[in-house]
Amino acid sequence: MKEETKIVVAGRHPEDNFGIVNAPVYHASTVLYPSLAELQKTHAARAAGERVVSYGRIGTPTTWSLEDAVAELEGGYRAQVFPSGLAAVSHAMLAFLKSGDHLLMTDSVYGPSRIFCDNVLSRFGIEVTYYDPLIGAGIADLIRPETRLVYVEAPGSQTFEMQDIPAIADVAHARDARVMMDNTWASPLFFKPFDHGVDISIQAGTKYIVGHSDVMLGIVTTTKDCWPVLQKGANMMGQTAGPDDVYLAQRGMRTLSVRLKQHMVNAIAVAEWLKGRPEVHSVLHPALPDDPGHAIWKRDFTGSSGLFSMRLKEVSKDAIAAFLDDLELFGMGYSWGGYESLIILADPTSYRTATTWDNTNPLLRLHIGLEAVEDLIADLEAGFNRLNAAK
Ligand SMILES: *Cc1c(COP(=O)(O)O)cnc(C)c1O
């Protein structure tokens, strides 16, 4: 089956539900058992890792429907939902790490994931070393006997470096470490983590899977080998997600392929236009042919999403504010992956530790939504006019 077909078909079982197309929303905590024997049988099955309806927190056909669909799209074995992308990131790490372990973390990781490492993992005696996202096979020099996880994210948050994930995975596996990836940018449509050596893949479902800026959700997919560890870890930490949010995520996911392809086209058009602007120093988008990460992107990814950055030529804070404050279509706000365009000012120098970043050229991260490209460009053009007037 092609990816577009999987997005429509995966995880649905109308035959179990009166022929109704979408999975039903089960609101459940208590599950009743007809007899002691039945109760004990169900709990033994659950302890053995079987999928049984036993208690709301452990999962229902609503959660399994989304989990199965995402696992199939990612190309992994099984998946687990979490109440946010960050909960997926933090609980995946907690499931696979223990006191005394060492984690190798890309310096271009999503900010809150970094805050979790520095403030929570450190309290449990788990050491974190940040590495240059462009390190590739050079990661070998940083791996220690106690290194259990190498965490990758491509392209990097805000700065969009492409990582050579197969090269990193080869080295990590040879040294008995697992590879965990934040695959939110490409979504499972445009990058297949398990074909590139990833063992544990994380989606902030909040972004493109939900697609409508109205639900928080995270999903972790693993290989068969890693699954029992992740599943037990999630269950012991009480992790699940509310059925209405899971339903909305599944509803959003069915249109992922049409949405994402349009985000891709719109974003490339806006990125190309920005490159020609005299106010712009550079555009950071791996699908652009002269981007430093383009060769890796082209080798490993099948598409690009709507998120990229640009760096402005040196300009005052007031001029940036004049540009941003009166944009009509670009909202100023965090998150991304919905149908609408967004823009934020970011400063990678405020967090990077393993690599240096020069913020002389201010960085703006854009999410290109599903509006007409002409309208988005007109909005940005008016912004540049304000910026130039305020210089
Ligand atoms: C937003 C985001 C997350 C966290 O997701 P939330 O649902 O907001 O907690 C994780 N990784 C990346 C790359 C993100 O953009």
Side-chain angles (χ1 to χ4, degrees), residues 50-85:
E50 272 177 52
R51 182 183 267 179
V52 284
V53 179
S54 60
Y55 184 58
R57 193 179 59 225
I58 308 303
T60 68
T62 308
T63 45
W64 297 334
S65 172
L66 178 67
E67 288 169 351
D68 287 354
V70 172
E72 192 175 332
L73 290 175
E74 292 252 21
Y77 175 64
R78 271 183 65 178
Q80 165 75 41
V81 293
F82 291 84
S84 71

Side-chain angles (χ1 to χ4, degrees), residues 84-87 89 110 113 153 157 182 184 204 206-207 216-217 335-336:
S84 71
L86 185 58
V89 168
Y110 173 69
S113 303
E153 183 175 327
S157 257
D182 186 327
T184 304
T206 309
K207 310 293 165 59
M216 305 297 301
L217 201 92
S335 201
W336 49 277

Side-chain angles (χ1 to χ4, degrees), residues 83-342:
S84 71
L86 185 58
V89 168
S90 59
H91 287 89
M93 285 197 233
L94 287 173
F96 287 92
L97 293 169
K98 64 178 187 319
S99 176
D101 285 351
H102 177 232
L103 162 70
L104 282 168
M105 173 57 83
T106 175
D107 207 24
S108 58
V109 67
Y110 173 69
S113 303
R114 181 182 202 110
I115 292 169
F116 169 77
C117 291
D118 294 346
N119 292 275
V120 181
L121 292 185
S122 59
R123 283 200 276 123
F124 294 95
I126 296 159
E127 205 186 325
V128 184
T129 303
Y130 292 93
Y131 68 86
D132 181 346
L134 304 178
I135 200 165
I139 196 89
D141 297 338
L142 300 179
I143 295 184
R144 310 175 190 166
E146 65 275 18
T147 306
R148 293 277 67 82
L149 274 184
V150 180
Y151 190 107
V152 298
E153 183 175 327
S157 257
Q158 301 187 338
T159 46
F160 295 89
E161 299 92 339
M162 288 304 301
Q163 296 200 258
D164 192 340
I165 294 171
I168 291 173
D170 279 352
V171 174
H173 291 156
R175 304 279 293 275
D176 215 21
R178 285 176 167 137
V179 179
M180 184 175 285
M181 178 184 191
D182 186 327
N183 188 31
T184 304
W185 182 83
S187 93
L189 181 62
F190 288 154
F191 184 71
K192 298 294 176 192
F194 299 97
D195 292 344
H196 295 87
V198 171
D199 302 290
I200 303 129
S201 177
I202 297 158
Q203 283 291 327
T206 309
K207 310 293 165 59
Y208 284 124
I209 290 181
V210 165
H212 294 76
S213 307
D214 51 2
V215 176
M216 305 297 301
L217 201 92
I219 307 163
V220 181
T221 306
T222 77
T223 58
K224 189 170 186 190
D225 180 43
C226 290
W227 173 249
V229 178
L230 189 271
Q231 184 188 39
K232 283 201 189 91
N235 288 352
M236 287 187 292
M237 298 298 266
Q239 292 295 306
T240 182
D244 294 313
D245 289 344
V246 168
Y247 178 83
L248 286 170
Q250 195 198 159
R251 194 178 197 274
M253 192 202 66
R254 300 297 172 198
T255 57
L256 179 69
S257 69
V258 281
R259 284 187 287 109
L260 211 57
K261 286 175 197 173
Q262 194 63 48
H263 284 292
M264 167 165 71
V265 169
N266 288 6
I268 290 173
V270 173
E272 295 282 12
W273 179 81
L274 286 169
K275 270 185 65 178
R277 288 298 306 192
E279 300 85 355
V280 174
H281 167 269
S282 51
V283 175
L284 315 178
H285 189 318
L288 299 187
D290 57 353
D291 187 89
H294 185 70
I296 289 179
W297 172 79
K298 206 168 168 188
R299 184 191 69 190
D300 295 345
F301 287 55
T302 56
S304 58
S305 69
L307 193 75
F308 67 92
S309 286
M310 66 167 158
R311 302 177 77 186
L312 299 175
K313 288 187 183 151
E314 204 172 342
V315 67
S316 72
K317 199 77 173 268
D318 286 349
I320 298 174
F323 174 80
L324 291 175
D325 287 351
D326 288 320
L327 288 171
E328 276 181 23
L329 296 176
F330 283 85
M332 226 190 308
Y334 291 96
S335 201
W336 49 277
Y339 49 80
E340 84 288 16
S341 290
L342 295 168

